[in-house]
Amino acid sequence: VSRVDRAFRRFQRTGDPDALAFVFDRVAPELARLAAHLAPQAAEDLVQDTFLFAIERVASFEPRGRVLP
């Protein structure tokens, strides 16, 4: 299990904003590169929407799942 996965699980269990910040710092650059490739004009919005989606649906995250494939 990666540090990112552990941090997201900690955020899921406790709502710890530092855990979410850790995940964001580690994942956002990769998401931004992908988003820039897919939709250059909306890359920032896509990254923000992805994290908003994850926050809003944190309870449905599968504990054995991975944050990144």
Side-chain angles (χ1 to χ4, degrees):
V1 178
S2 75
R3 292 175 63 199
V4 169
D5 294 328
R6 285 193 304 269
F8 194 77
R9 289 176 189 154
R10 185 171 59 249
F11 171 70
Q12 183 183 35
R13 285 189 321 272
T14 68
D16 179 3
D18 291 333
L20 183 62
F22 178 85
V23 173
F24 182 84
D25 290 345
R26 297 303 187 283
V27 173
E30 185 174 341
L31 287 177
R33 283 190 296 277
L34 178 60
H37 176 74
L38 296 174
Q41 303 299 340
E44 281 187 40
D45 291 338
L46 288 172
V47 172
Q48 290 176 357
D49 289 348
T50 299
F51 273 89
L52 182 59
F53 185 88
I55 291 166
E56 290 174 342
R57 292 167 179 83
V58 69
S60 66
F61 179 71
E62 179 62 40
R64 293 183 187 173
R66 296 189 59 209
V67 172
L68 292 174

